[in-house]
Structure formats: C-alpha cells, structure tokens
Amino acid sequence: MAVVVDGKGDIWVMGGWVTGGGSDSVWKLPNGTKVWQEGPKLPQGRVGGTAVNDSDGIVFAGGTNPDHDATDTIWALGDTGWKEIGRLSDRREKLASASDGAGTVWFIGGVQQTDGNKAKDTIDIIQHHNKYVDGNLRLDHPREAPSAVNLEGIGLCVFGGHDGGTVYGWWCKNSAKTALLPKQPVPRSGMAVAVSGGVVYAVGGYDTANNVNGTKTVEAFKYTRD
C-alpha cells in the first residue's frame, strides 16, 4: 500500500493487496487523533503503486490493477475525489516517488512483472499536475522497488532497488552530490523511507538474491550538503 503524510500532518493509506486483487480503499488518520477515517476511494484497486504529497495535494501513480496488470495512471486527490491528471511513460509497479514540495513530483523506476519482469530506469515528472518531459533524466540502472527522497541542498536522490540479483546504492540527479551520502551496510529493495529534521530514515526492505525476504532493520543517518 502507499502511505503519505499531508501538509496538516494527517496520515493517508491507499490501496494495497487484498484477496482477489488490489484494494481501492483509502484511509486517513487525522493528526493528533487515534481514529481512522475512510477517505475517497481510488478509481480502481491498486497494488504496488506509489503516492506522494506535494504543494498541490496528494498524487497516486502506477501499481497493478485487480487483474494483476501494471498500470500507467496518475491520479490527484481533489475536493470531490480523485481525477486523472496524466499517464506514466510506461506501465509499472513497485515504483518510487518524491516531491520538492513546490509543485514538482518525480515517479521513478519500477517493474512490469507480467511483461518479462522488466525493471525500469524511467523518471517521469509532473509539475503542478501537468506532465513535464526531461528526455535526459534516467536512473543509472533499471531499478525494481527503489526508494526516493528529495534532500535539502542536494536534490532528488534514489537508493536501493534491484535489477535481477543486483541491489543498487545511491543515485542523485546532481551526480556531484552522490558521494556525500553514506552507503548502507546491506542495500535493500522495497524500503519505507522518510526525511525529518535533516535525518533520512530507511525501514525494512528485502534482498531476495541473498535470501533476505524481509527485515526489521531501521537505519537513520544525517547527510551533509557539501
């Protein structure tokens, strides 16, 4: 399932696996409360999609539909529910997303498991809910289930994610900044990540090539800008 925290500090949980395919459920935990509230349902059930909160609101992209096929839809949550605002350049699941908090959202990597299990190096961009194309922006390697962050003073960076048996380390849009970021002792795919107070948190993940099918690992590290 996809999880985001909005500008009010409310936690949103969207989609995820249920018996028979992806869920269209959306739930919100308002900041400072202990009671979940049901939110506007997704237009269709999704597994392995990604969501991000930006200055323009919450955006959800990709994932598999109830027939287990990867999708290319991009939906934005508005006052009256979800609406389609664009399409990914290719259908994929297990992709990552990040935002600069000022109108730009990146959708990164992923895989098409039902089409030869092809990992992707694609990076799609939305600016203020409009598609923007940068033909030169791609990952260093195709990556299934990467994690992405936008770091103050550094910019967009991606870590983890795999192509076959290889799990990759850091890639940054500004390549000169990549060396500033610490290597993980055990690189992983499928991590939950968050940035708070200048600290990056990386939780869980897997490395199937080394028989790590899930982990309790929680890592936290500060980063330098120069």
Side-chain angles (χ1 to χ4, degrees), residues 153-155 157 172 174-181 224-226:
I154 293 181
C157 294
C172 293
N174 181 350
S175 59
K177 300 292 187 179
T178 305
L180 299 175
L181 302 173
T224 59
R225 303 177 188 177
D226 47 44

Side-chain angles (χ1 to χ4, degrees), residues 2 4 13 36 47 66 71 73 78 86-87 102 109 118 130 154 163 179 217:
V4 298
V13 177
W36 288 91
V47 176
T71 63
T73 49
R87 296 271 176 163
K118 296 176 183 176
N130 293 303
I154 293 181
D163 185 14
T217 300

Side-chain angles (χ1 to χ4, degrees), residues 120-197:
K120 302 292 182 178
D121 62 359
T122 312
I123 301 177
D124 290 320
I125 307 169
I126 292 288
Q127 290 186 330
H128 297 294
H129 289 182
N130 293 303
K131 188 76 177 287
Y132 171 78
V133 177
D134 182 347
N136 296 318
L137 188 59
R138 288 187 175 271
L139 292 171
D140 53 346
H141 303 282
R143 300 187 187 213
E144 174 182 341
S147 299
V149 289
N150 186 62
L151 303 177
E152 185 177 354
I154 293 181
L156 173 66
C157 294
V158 177
F159 64 117
H162 68 98
D163 185 14
T166 303
V167 182
Y168 295 104
W170 286 99
W171 169 93
C172 293
K173 182 181 177 185
N174 181 350
S175 59
K177 300 292 187 179
T178 305
L180 299 175
L181 302 173
K183 294 182 179 180
Q184 290 183 286
V186 181
R188 307 184 299 282
S189 303
M191 297 174 290
V193 300
V195 181
S196 179

Side-chain angles (χ1 to χ4, degrees), residues 7 12 24 42 48 55 65 80 88 96 104 121 134 143 163 165 169 174 187 202 206-207 216 218:
W12 293 76
D24 60 1
L42 297 173
S55 58
N65 60 25
T80 59
L88 299 171
T104 298
D121 62 359
D134 182 347
R143 300 187 187 213
D163 185 14
N174 181 350
Y206 65 91
D207 178 4
K216 298 178 181 178
V218 179

